[in-house]
Amino acid sequence: HRDLHSFPTRRSSDLPNDYPVSDSVMNALESFNQQIGCDKDVLITGGNRSASSILGAGRNSTHVQGIAADIVVPGQTNLETANQAARTGLFGGIGWYQEGYRGLHGEGPHVHVDLRDGTARWGFTASGEALHGYFPQAPGVLNPTSGRCGCQ
């Protein structure tokens, strides 16, 4: 596992450092960063969790399985990020949590991505309305960068 602070883009100093992500997730996120453009930062706000975590869906959670991350891309909406993630085909599961959303345990807005087999889509609006099997379509332009995105 790599620590969150090893992600190869500019990082925020206030990210949690106790949620590592697996190499397979990190590799998918690096590929995602290349496809949306290396001029954008992909910030990891959540990674692996224990089955007893109040965040997530217990022992069946993809976070517990070590195949998920929660991300934000500063300068664009979470809906744009979720649509970009879907367009890349890199992730099986994608969840959209709209800006302004707060879950029962205080979890905030982000985009969930995971490497499950098959496809799963869902979302939560700022008011807490649950969307099952989809999230709204929105522009999510890909701007591929050749080569790897590096630290800046």
Side-chain angles (χ1 to χ4, degrees):
H1 296 291
R2 296 186 216 179
D3 182 75
L4 291 178
H5 294 287
S6 69
F7 196 67
T9 61
R10 293 179 297 258
R11 300 305 310 265
S12 170
S13 61
D14 61 353
L15 292 176
N17 60 10
D18 57 346
Y19 295 121
V21 295
S22 67
D23 287 341
S24 58
V25 171
M26 188 63 71
N27 291 337
L29 289 172
E30 288 171 349
S31 294
F32 177 67
N33 201 171
Q34 287 176 305
Q35 292 201 34
I36 66 170
C38 289
D39 60 324
K40 296 186 178 184
D41 295 329
V42 175
L43 301 181
I44 301 168
T45 61
N48 297 348
R49 299 184 187 131
S50 72
S52 62
S53 172
I54 63 170
L55 302 173
R59 70 175 183 263
N60 294 324
S61 166
T62 53
H63 286 282
V64 173
Q65 296 172 32
I67 59 170
D70 297 330
I71 62 171
V72 296
V73 177
Q76 63 183 43
T77 67
N78 290 344
L79 188 56
E80 182 178 356
T81 301
N83 277 274
Q84 287 171 319
R87 286 185 180 97
T88 67
L90 292 166
F91 306 103
I94 303 170
W96 164 69
Y97 298 79
Q98 186 176 30
E99 291 78 4
Y101 171 80
R102 287 285 174 218
L104 295 175
H105 302 288
E107 61 273 24
H110 62 273
V111 175
H112 168 99
V113 292
D114 69 53
L115 303 177
R116 74 181 71 198
D117 291 331
T119 301
R121 302 289 185 264
W122 67 93
F124 287 92
T125 66
S127 65
E129 177 188 358
L131 308 177
H132 301 284
Y134 74 100
F135 46 78
Q137 296 295 306
V141 177
L142 299 178
N143 185 23
T145 304
S146 61
R148 292 177 54 98
C149 299
C151 295
Q152 300 190 14

